[in-house]
Amino acid sequence: QVQLVESGGGLVQAGGSLRLSCAASGTFFRINNMGWYRRAPGKQRELVGLITRSGSTNYADSVKGRFTIARDNAKNTMYLQMNDLKPEDTAVYYCNADAFRLGPLENYWGQGTQVTVSS
């Protein structure tokens, strides 16, 4: 199994910044693509952004220019730097990753971390 653990969430004022981390642990051969998703109250989960193993990224239009995803393959860790946060960024943020273990690619989710942006 692969465990994904998010950290770094919290309460911040509008215009502030937060940095989330997602650390992968367990038994696996390699972590491939990773991504951040979020679910705001009363809404469906949505994609925030993705990062390939080589570091290529793409983002939802709503966060472009404000959020940056990075990863450290040696540490099996992904980061989400969130700047200029807005109240509408309030959500539970989830980490997602594809991992090679013993067979085909498998997909895993973290438990989520709450981000609350006050106006």
Side-chain angles (χ1 to χ4, degrees):
Q1 288 290 329
V2 177
Q3 293 79 43
L4 300 176
V5 178
E6 302 99 333
S7 61
L11 173 64
V12 64
Q13 288 188 331
S17 298
L18 279 176
R19 188 193 194 210
L20 306 184
S21 298
C22 170
S25 63
T27 304
F28 53 87
F29 173 65
R30 187 177 69 206
I31 300 292
N32 260 30
N33 293 345
M34 302 182 78
W36 288 100
Y37 291 75
R38 67 186 182 186
R39 177 178 285 156
K43 296 186 178 181
Q44 291 189 334
R45 184 167 56 195
E46 64 175 2
L47 174 68
V48 174
L50 300 172
I51 184 167
T52 67
R53 183 169 178 83
S54 62
S56 297
T57 56
N58 61 70
Y59 301 92
D61 288 343
S62 59
V63 306
K64 279 181 182 176
R66 300 187 299 122
F67 290 11
T68 302
I69 298 175
R71 65 188 289 173
D72 183 335
N73 291 331
K75 296 181 178 179
N76 292 310
T77 301
M78 174 179 62
Y79 306 96
L80 178 64
Q81 178 66 43
M82 304 185 291
N83 298 328
D84 189 24
L85 282 160
K86 304 175 180 181
E88 52 263 42
D89 294 318
T90 294
V92 177
Y93 283 72
Y94 298 90
C95 170
N96 181 268
D98 289 330
F100 280 110
R101 297 179 63 236
L102 302 177
L105 203 62
E106 300 175 355
N107 187 259
Y108 292 90
W109 289 93
Q111 82 289 348
T113 185
Q114 177 70 47
V115 171
T116 303
V117 184
S118 63
S119 58

